[in-house]
Structure formats: C-alpha cells, structure tokens
Amino acid sequence: MTHPPGAYLPAIKERGPTADAQRLRESVADWSAALAAVSDLPSSVRQDVVDALELAQRFNAEVVRPMALQLDRQSLDDPDFIPHELVRIAGEWGLFTLWLPSLFGGKGWNFLSLYAFLEEVASACAGVSAMIGAHYMGLATLTASWNLPLAVRVLDDVCAGERMGQPRLVSLALHEPHAGTDTSETQLLDQAELGTQAVAQADGSYVLQGRKTYISNGHVAAWHMVVAYEDLKRPSDTMVIMAVRADTPGLQMGELVDKVGQKACVASELVFDQCRVPADCVAIDRSRAKGLQRPYRDVVQTLLDYIASCTRAGVGAFAAGTARGAFEAARDYAARKVLPAGRLIEQQWAQTTLAEMGKNAKLARQAYLESALANGMGGLFRMMFFRPLYWADKLAPASVWRFVARRFMRSPDATHWFQERFLDQQPKEWQRLTSGLASMAKFAGSELAMTNAGLALDLIGADGLRHEAGIDKRWRDAKVLQLYEGTDQLNRLNLFKCRLRPDDSVRVFEREAEVWGLPEPAMNWPDGDGHDWLAVAHQLANTQLPKVDGLQALDLMHGLGWGHLPSVGELCRVLEVLSAVDAGAAVAVYASTAAHMALKAAGPSEEERALKQALAQDLAGEWLAWPAFHDLHDQLWPAVDPQGYLRGQVDMVLLGTQARWAVLPVQGRDQKTMQLAVVDLAHPAVIRGEAIRTLGLATGGINDVEFGGVPCTVLGRLGVGLFRRLSAELAPAVMAMQCGLSRVSLSTAMGHAASRQQGGGSLLGWGEVRRLLSGMQERLSVMQGLLLSSLSGQASGTDALYKALHVGQLATALTVDGVQIMGADGYKRHAAQAQRMQNARQLQCLLGGVSWRRQWLLEQV
C-alpha cells in the first residue's frame, strides 16, 4: 500500500517491552532516578555527599575564592599562563584521589558526592571545578574500557604522585581541530574530518600521528587518554583508546587555547609525531574486543555513551554551581546596595529577579542529580554501588582488600568478564536512559547558568561589568559551558534520540538539503543626509581601522571631525559601520559626540550664555570624555563645593584615559540639583586611574577619575529631565552600534556555516544550524526596523528608550548564538565572535543598567 505525499502516518509501533525495558520500568528509574535510588543505592551514600559538601565549602573559603579572580586576571593578561600552583594545592587537599577506590590508594568516596563537590566549587569558580572534574573525566574514559591491568597501573601512578606532592592528572584527548561535536556519536563519527591515526604494529603497540586540541588539563596532565582510529575512513569500526604518558617520545605540547572563560582549567593542543604507544598502554581496540558478541561499532557507541553520560552530568554540576554563584553574588550585592528608597534587596522587582535566579539554580541541580543517580544505578559506575563491592571497599582492611582484589584484576579473564558485562551486555534501555538524561542535564544546566549570569548583570548594572566584581567572569564561564561536551544543539538531538522519539524508526542525526535563501546581511539606510558620512565610514572601517591601534584610530577619526558629528543621523551611520569592525572606536565617537550634545542641550542662564559659547568654540575640535553609564541612578556623582571646586569620583569614564576634557553630570552647590560640569582632566588635582578591565569595549579608554578639588565650569540647573531627554536622543546611536555588531556577527556565522564541514557536508545541512541562523536574521531585521523608526521621528522620549532596551536584548541574544554556531572556535577569547558577544552585552548598559532602566522609565519627570 502506498501513501500520498504528506499523508499522516502513525509513528508509534505497538510492541511488547523487552525484559530489560520491563525491569527499568518497574524500577521507576525512567520516571524518576532520584526515587529509584532511594532503595537501590547503599545507605551511606548520603554521608559521603555531606562530607564532600563540607570539604568543598572549606576549599572554597581557603583556596578558590581568594584565588579565582586573580587567576582569571593573570590568564587574561598572559595567555600562556598555566596555574601550576592551583594544581599543586588541589593535590595537597587530596582532590585527585578522593574519588578513587581504596584498593588503588584512594579514599573511596562515591561518585555521587563528586558531583555535589563539583557544584559547590563551581559556585565560587567554574574553572577550578572544571580542572578537577576534567581529571575524573579522563579516569572515566579509562574505566569505561574495563582494562583492569591498565587501570591498576595508571591509578597507582596517580596515587603515588599525590603522595610525593606531584599531582598526576589524567586528561581525555578526544577533540580534533576539525572534529569536535561529531566525535561522540558513531553516526556522525564516520563522516567527521579526523586526523589522528593509530597505526598498528606487529607487537600490539601503536604509532600515533596527528593532533588533538581543546584538551582540558593538557599542559598539566601526566597521562592522556587518547582516542584515535586505525582507519580514518572507518573510525567507528577502528577506534583505539590508549593511555599515553606525557613524557612519551613523539608527544609534544602545542599551544594553549586562550578561552573566553574558565581560565583556571587550561585547554591544550597535543601533537603526536611518530609517537609509539606500547601494547600494555592500549585500553581497548578491535583485537582486544574480539571475544565480545556485539559488533565493535556498537561497543564503540557504548563506550562513548558511558563516557558522555558521566562527563555531561559533570558539566551539569558545573552549570548548577555557576547558576547558584551568580545568584548568590547578585543577592549579596542587592543586600549591600543602598538606594534613596532603601536597600536594593527590599525592592520588589529585585526580589522577584532573585527568586527567578534561585529557581534556575535549583532546577539545574535537579537535572544533573537525576543524571548522576541514573549513572549510579545503570551506568558506568554502577559496579561501584554493587553492595558487596561497595562495603568491601569501605570496610575491609586496606592491605587485605588490595591483595585479593589486585590478584583478580591483573588476570586477563577479569578484564574479559567486566568487558562482557559492561560493554557486551549493557542493556540498551539503560544506555539510552543515562545518555539522554546526561544530555538534558548538560544543555538545561548550561542555559540556566547563562540566564542567571545575564540576570545578575541586569540587576547589578554597570558595577557588574567591572572585572573585580566577578560577574563578567561568571557570564564568560557560563558561555563556555554551552560549547564543550557537545554543543547544546547536539545534546538536544541526543535527548530526543535516547528518550523522546517514539520508536527506532524515527531517524536522528540525519543531514538535510543545504537550502539557504538568506542574503548577506546589510543595513539599508534611507536616502537623504548622511550618505557622505556613510561612504567615509565604510572606507575607514574597511581599509584603515583594522591596521591601527586605539590611539592611532582616534587620530584618524579626529582628522575626519568625528569627535563631534553634527546630528544623530550622521552619528548612527558612522557608528553602525565602525562597530562592525571596532566597537571600541565606535564607542569613542559615541562618547565624545554625547558630551558635545550635552553641552549643546544644557540651558544656561543669561550670564552663562557667553561662557557656553566660548566653551563650545574652545572644545569644538576636541575629543571629550563622557560617563560610560550616565543614568543618574547608577552612581553617586561628584559635587561642586561652595568655593566652586569639584570633589568626588566618577566611575567608568569613556575616553577617560585619552581625552583632555570631560563633560560630566555633577551635584550642584546646593547638593540637590544636577548640573553639567566641564573639567580639565590634565589638572594636577585630577587622579586618572589606569584603564580598567571590563566585560567588553577593551579599546574604549574606560577608567575611573577622582577629583580632589578641581576648578570646573558649571552650566545651568539641569535636573533629571535633561538627562532623560539626552538618553532618548542618544538611544538610536546605541541601537546603531548594536545593529552593526549584530550584522557582522550574523555574516560571520553564515560564512562559517557554509564553509565548516561536518557529517558529510557543510553546517547548512543541519536544520538546527539553519534555525539558529534564521533566528539571528529575524532579530537583526527587528533591530534595524526599530533603529530606522527611531530616526524617522516615529519614536521619541520614553518610546525610544524602550526600543533601545529591546534592541539591546536582541543584540545580546543574536551575538550569543553567533558564538554558538562557531562551536569550539567561538570560545577563543580573541575570536571576533566572542568579542562581539561581550561588546554587545556591555553596550546594553550604556544608557544605564537594564533592570534599573526598566524601573526609572516608569517614573514621572
């Protein structure tokens, strides 16, 4: 019987459950692993979790919190920095052996407590948590092969190193320069662009040739669990996993990957050049799996699922900690911040924001705990919860237990027995449950962490963008979570494959036609004034700006008269083009023009009018500094004393390190009205701070400026109304910069998707990638429409500010997706997409903190 095209076909096949599926259903683990674990796991598991949490809290207080920002700063200043001291201290605390069975010399804590420990440490620093967790990720790979003699050798060495004060970490080397996400799924693996080959030798050894990259802990590990392939055309049928010592001839450390976040956990490149790996260091290959009944391809998928089920649950723990750390930091700030109406934490809008963040952190924890508990009952470490072995490792005299267990483990029959049970006879239902729950924990947790970090930035405002606040670090750390251990997009598909598709006839990971109909992104300005400025801006941005540094760029733009553009329309055209190339240069033009606009808008008294005209003439060709965040609610502004001298501090001044003159909001002599002051920053009573590190806009010359009794020129009584009107006038300029950043982010993402090969074609053959690109184009179209409507007079006052709020949200979401499409390449710190993402997030606050603006826009002026 044939069916016409488009006919509805029932997808669910009615069939009786297998015996394994029935046992899984009866255990209720597929409904709630947490509930099933109540009766399935040993009773003392809870005490290990309590002990691990207590240890993590002490470790955070004594080590992580004092070091986290310093390590991040050192890594940002020196991309070649390796935190050897942190690794040494973690070794002194016993953190690399605590979760090893006691028969190897470890402390024998259960792996559920490891996840709790990792969450707790991640609440202080996700990078430190990742450094510890990545070590156990390497050990999980070794365990998954069930090669017991090799496990004894490696784990003995890890424990011996710790006793000698020389931590010996284990890394997992899976990712390759042109194959990342596709290395964890056999269906994708056979079409991946792989380059690391293992050539078999007659004596059972292998010679490795190729490169691995993005290897966590690569430069500090003593052992590397390397995944290679005998035949690069048939990788899923010829995979080899081997343990390679770091000092093996033919293995060299390549460059460090300068990640955007999680700097405490280094990411490395490993280069293999005729690197011979002896036979006794081969964990598993085709010959060692000959006695198994399943095809070797299925064994490989079981291995990959075992590994990913553990490691993705670990990423879920990192994410839960990151989400909770962002919540706690925002709550602590809100408790300290005092407003005219009382403490910030007593504002209802702040309380509901914190409630949302608390909810997100709890949900992230529940997701990874569900995955971890499933692993304990039916995944990689279920044997460690088998009650006789569990209690033997806990209670038996160490010397007797080691003697008996090691004699058994060194037997080839023991390895075959374990491989038969765990690789050949692993129930498919449990394999799917653990793999699917791990994927859900990974992508749900990482998105909740990213959401919480963004909400923390919204709540804290400009203060949160400063490096010393630690919020920008949490946001950068959270973004990295979305990219490693399989992108969130792949993990969504894996969850569908393992847990949600109605039956196996529904195909997953299938490529689609590489259909693409979106044109190259462009900004279509209407005819009229400003086209001359636009042509000049394009010429400068395309030919000169990429070749010069910040000061030279200022000189070039000064020669063009861009320190004071004549109208907002011209300003927007210039900024849209400049921000696509150098957001720092764009924000310099914005700041100086904003300062000139403020001078022009100030309504001086009759006696001040001549002074204002003289100032306008004197400063006409000058770059003027202007507050990076000029909402009057964001800080306590400096005051003019009765003698007319300015005292106080302005935080985060754009062009503060470069301009001679600044135009600033100040408190008048009566300490009640707001006025505008023109200040000579070269005056000896002015203390200019060094350029400060913020989330983005690295070339904006942002610093703090302190005034210790500085003569200044004060204009008029301005009040809040002037600054609100000025914000509304500048709103299109901020939107223009966000449009420029977003336009080039989309263009770069489209180019990468068209050129990057994965699964037998370009990324455009994946529907999820096309969905992301289409969403980016949708956002850009809305942003550009809002910008043009603001310039055409269709928006004014409060309406323009609301539009700017919406454009800021769209730009941040668009550039975050722009990084996501790049995969691992997107989280390199100096990658253009990562910088655009950070710049877009900081531009969101240019007219004032996001949450703050939503509140003061409701106020009557």
Side-chain angles (χ1 to χ4, degrees):
M1 178 180 177
T2 60
H3 299 276
Y8 170 76
L9 299 177
I12 299 177
K13 295 180 178 178
E14 294 295 335
R15 55 185 174 84
T18 64
D20 285 329
Q22 185 62 33
R23 281 193 292 273
L24 176 65
R25 184 174 300 172
E26 289 171 358
S27 77
V28 303
D30 62 339
W31 185 76
S32 170
L35 181 61
V38 171
S39 60
D40 231 48
L41 299 181
S43 57
S44 71
V45 166
R46 178 183 173 278
Q47 187 57 47
D48 281 355
V49 173
V50 172
D51 293 342
L53 288 173
E54 181 183 340
L55 177 69
Q57 287 159 5
R58 287 194 289 112
F59 185 62
N60 280 350
E62 297 179 31
V63 179
V64 182
R65 296 191 194 281
M67 294 181 69
L69 283 177
Q70 177 190 352
L71 287 173
D72 190 64
R73 183 69 183 244
Q74 283 181 272
S75 299
L76 291 171
D77 291 339
D78 178 11
D80 294 324
F81 172 74
I82 299 173
H84 290 293
E85 181 67 8
L86 172 67
V87 175
R88 183 189 65 78
I89 294 173
E92 290 178 350
W93 281 65
L95 302 182
F96 303 122
T97 61
L98 270 174
W99 289 276
L100 300 185
S102 61
L103 67 92
F104 297 112
K107 302 300 185 295
W109 285 14
N110 71 74
F111 267 75
L112 291 178
S113 69
L114 171 62
Y115 290 113
F117 179 90
L118 293 175
E119 181 200 330
E120 193 66 33
V121 173
S123 70
C125 177
V128 176
S129 185
M131 181 270 291
I132 298 167
H135 166 67
Y136 288 97
M137 179 170 69
L139 293 175
T141 306
L142 174 61
T143 304
S145 70
W146 295 103
N147 185 322
L148 301 184
L150 181 58
V152 171
R153 177 180 175 184
V154 173
L155 298 183
D156 275 354
D157 189 55
V158 170
C159 293
E162 186 168 277
R163 287 193 298 271
M164 293 185 293
Q166 299 172 353
R168 292 173 184 165
L169 278 66
V170 181
S171 80
L172 168 60
L174 178 62
H175 194 290
E176 302 200 3
H178 300 292
T181 291
D182 35 7
T183 57
S184 58
E185 174 67 42
T186 54
Q187 191 173 338
L188 302 176
L189 188 60
D190 287 338
Q191 299 172 323
E193 290 190 49
L194 299 166
T196 304
Q197 189 167 19
V199 180
Q201 308 298 301
D203 61 355
S205 64
Y206 283 90
V207 174
L208 274 175
Q209 190 74 29
R211 300 193 323 170
K212 295 288 185 178
T213 189
Y214 299 102
I215 308 306
S216 294
N217 287 339
H219 274 73
V220 297
W223 290 89
H224 306 287
M225 296 304 302
V226 180
V227 180
Y229 314 92
E230 293 183 68
D231 186 346
L232 297 180
K233 295 182 179 178
R234 297 187 305 116
S236 62
D237 294 314
T238 64
M239 177 186 285
V240 184
I241 299 179
M242 57 196 80
V244 182
R245 284 189 63 96
D247 57 2
T248 304
L251 167 58
Q252 293 183 336
M253 290 296 109
E255 66 178 12
L256 282 171
V257 179
D258 188 12
K259 297 184 296 182
V260 71
Q262 298 189 21
K263 312 292 279 184
C265 180
V266 296
S268 311
E269 180 186 50
L270 308 182
V271 182
F272 302 96
D273 185 9
Q274 295 298 304
C275 177
R276 181 176 289 272
V277 182
D280 60 358
C281 284
V282 178
I284 193 167
D285 62 3
R286 286 185 296 173
S287 64
R288 289 164 175 78
K290 276 186 177 177
L292 303 180
Q293 299 300 311
R294 284 182 179 176
Y296 188 62
R297 178 189 181 91
D298 290 349
V299 172
V300 165
Q301 186 60 61
T302 302
L303 275 165
L304 293 174
D305 281 341
Y306 271 141
I307 296 167
S309 295
C310 292
T311 59
R312 288 170 180 167
V315 176
F318 304 159
T322 303
R324 181 160 63 86
F327 157 71
E328 290 171 350
R331 182 189 59 193
D332 292 347
Y333 176 87
R336 295 192 309 268
K337 184 72 172 178
V338 179
L339 305 172
R343 292 192 299 165
L344 175 58
I345 201 168
E346 293 166 348
Q347 306 297 305
Q348 198 172 95
W349 64 270
Q351 293 169 353
T352 55
T353 300
L354 290 169
E356 183 72 12
M357 295 174 71
K359 176 210 72 176
N360 290 342
K362 293 287 187 183
L363 290 178
R365 177 184 295 163
Q366 294 306 312
Y368 86 74
L369 280 177
E370 188 78 358
S371 173
L373 289 165
N375 280 329
M377 291 183 294
L380 179 59
F381 48 85
R382 72 177 186 271
M383 180 59 72
M384 300 175 189
F385 289 109
F386 180 54
R387 280 184 169 81
L389 287 179
Y390 177 84
W391 289 115
D393 196 62
K394 282 277 187 184
L395 302 177
S399 57
V400 175
W401 173 233
R402 290 177 192 173
F403 176 77
V404 173
R406 284 167 178 258
R407 291 196 64 180
F408 170 73
M409 292 176 70
R410 287 194 172 98
S411 164
D413 291 338
T415 292
H416 179 73
W417 187 88
F418 274 98
Q419 288 181 340
E420 203 172 49
R421 297 297 180 280
F422 284 86
L423 298 179
D424 215 11
Q425 300 173 9
Q426 166 72 343
K428 290 287 187 182
E429 286 76 11
W430 272 105
Q431 187 173 333
R432 289 171 177 168
L433 176 68
T434 56
S435 180
L437 290 178
S439 283
M440 184 178 70
K442 192 272 177 187
F443 78 75
S446 62
E447 290 184 355
L448 290 167
M450 194 69 180
T451 297
N452 266 18
L455 288 172
L457 284 171
D458 289 347
L459 182 70
I460 297 174
D463 289 343
L465 298 172
R466 304 173 71 103
H467 183 265
E468 59 264 30
I471 304 300
D472 84 299
K473 175 188 178 299
R474 295 182 192 277
W475 193 75
R476 290 183 283 111
D477 289 348
K479 184 57 201 170
V480 174
L481 293 169
Q482 292 187 303
L483 295 168
Y484 60 27
E485 286 307 300
T487 63
D488 284 1
Q489 286 67 43
L490 174 127
N491 278 285
R492 279 185 167 83
L493 290 172
N494 190 56
L495 173 62
F496 177 81
K497 167 194 166 186
C498 294
R499 301 295 301 142
L500 304 179
R501 63 176 171 169
D503 59 62
D504 290 351
S505 69
V506 178
R507 296 179 299 172
V508 187
F509 296 118
E510 292 289 326
R511 287 186 57 80
E512 303 165 6
E514 295 187 17
V515 178
W516 187 248
L518 290 181
E520 180 68 17
M523 182 72 202
N524 298 312
W525 295 101
D527 294 334
D529 295 337
H531 279 279
D532 291 340
W533 292 100
L534 192 60
V536 174
H538 276 293
Q539 183 179 4
L540 177 73
N542 295 330
T543 61
Q544 295 174 282
L545 208 54
K547 303 174 184 177
V548 299
D549 61 21
L551 289 175
Q552 290 174 311
L554 284 180
D555 290 339
L556 284 173
M557 294 187 296
H558 184 270
L560 295 171
W562 286 358
H564 180 197
L565 287 167
S567 73
V568 173
E570 280 79 3
L571 176 64
C572 288
R573 285 168 168 80
V574 169
L575 294 183
E576 199 276 343
V577 174
L578 286 183
S579 61
V581 178
D582 185 345
V587 85
V589 175
Y590 163 86
S592 188
T593 301
H596 282 285
M597 289 173 60
L599 281 178
K600 183 178 179 181
S605 60
E606 286 298 325
E607 59 270 22
E608 293 173 330
R609 194 172 303 279
L611 177 60
K612 177 183 173 183
Q613 291 174 351
L615 274 174
Q617 291 176 358
D618 291 342
L619 302 179
E622 295 283 344
W623 287 106
L624 299 181
W626 178 252
F629 310 102
H630 62 270
D631 171 25
L632 299 185
H633 297 72
D634 276 346
Q635 60 178 298
L636 183 65
W637 297 95
V640 179
D641 67 19
Q643 289 74 40
Y645 292 97
L646 188 63
R647 299 183 186 277
Q649 179 171 311
V650 178
D651 296 335
M652 303 179 74
V653 178
L654 287 168
L655 291 180
T657 63
Q658 296 148 341
R660 166 70 184 274
W661 297 90
V663 177
L664 305 169
V666 298
Q667 298 180 64
R669 298 185 187 185
D670 60 6
Q671 301 293 300
K672 295 179 181 179
T673 58
M674 294 301 298
Q675 298 179 285
L676 203 64
V678 181
V679 190
D680 182 358
L681 297 181
H683 191 278
V686 174
I687 302 175
R688 291 207 223 196
E690 297 291 325
I692 60 177
R693 188 182 295 281
T694 59
L695 176 61
L697 305 178
T699 59
I702 303 174
N703 71 343
D704 297 334
V705 183
E706 186 177 347
F707 305 96
V710 182
C712 62
T713 302
V714 179
L715 296 177
R717 292 192 174 190
L718 310 176
V720 176
L722 171 81
F723 293 100
R724 181 71 58 83
R725 291 194 301 274
L726 189 58
S727 293
E729 288 184 45
L730 290 169
V734 178
M735 287 190 262
M737 288 188 282
Q738 290 162 330
C739 284
L741 277 173
S742 300
R743 173 174 57 81
V744 74
S745 180
L746 173 56
S747 178
T748 302
M750 288 167 54
H752 179 79
S755 60
R756 172 75 161 87
Q757 297 296 299
Q758 187 181 78
S762 78
L763 292 181
L764 291 177
W766 297 107
E768 178 64 5
V769 171
R770 295 203 306 274
R771 183 189 69 80
L772 284 176
L773 289 171
S774 181
M776 292 172 71
Q777 177 62 70
E778 176 186 339
R779 294 187 187 103
L780 180 61
S781 297
V782 173
M783 292 165 61
Q784 291 176 338
L786 291 173
L787 169 59
L788 294 175
S789 70
S790 297
L791 289 173
S792 67
Q794 298 177 32
S796 59
T798 302
D799 188 37
L801 291 169
Y802 274 119
K803 288 185 176 182
L805 268 174
H806 189 48
V807 168
Q809 291 176 302
L810 294 173
T812 298
L814 186 153
T815 52
V816 165
D817 282 350
V819 170
Q820 195 69 22
I821 284 177
M822 306 297 288
D825 291 338
Y827 73 58
K828 291 181 179 178
R829 178 164 65 102
H830 291 294
Q833 290 289 72
Q835 292 180 346
R836 290 170 190 134
M837 175 184 71
Q838 294 175 83
N839 289 335
R841 193 63 181 84
Q842 185 148 332
L843 285 173
Q844 250 193 305
C845 293
L846 208 55
L847 298 174
V850 173
S851 293
W852 299 76
R853 270 193 284 163
R854 290 196 179 102
Q855 298 305 309
W856 62 250
L857 281 174
L858 300 174
E859 297 174 6
Q860 293 290 332
V861 178

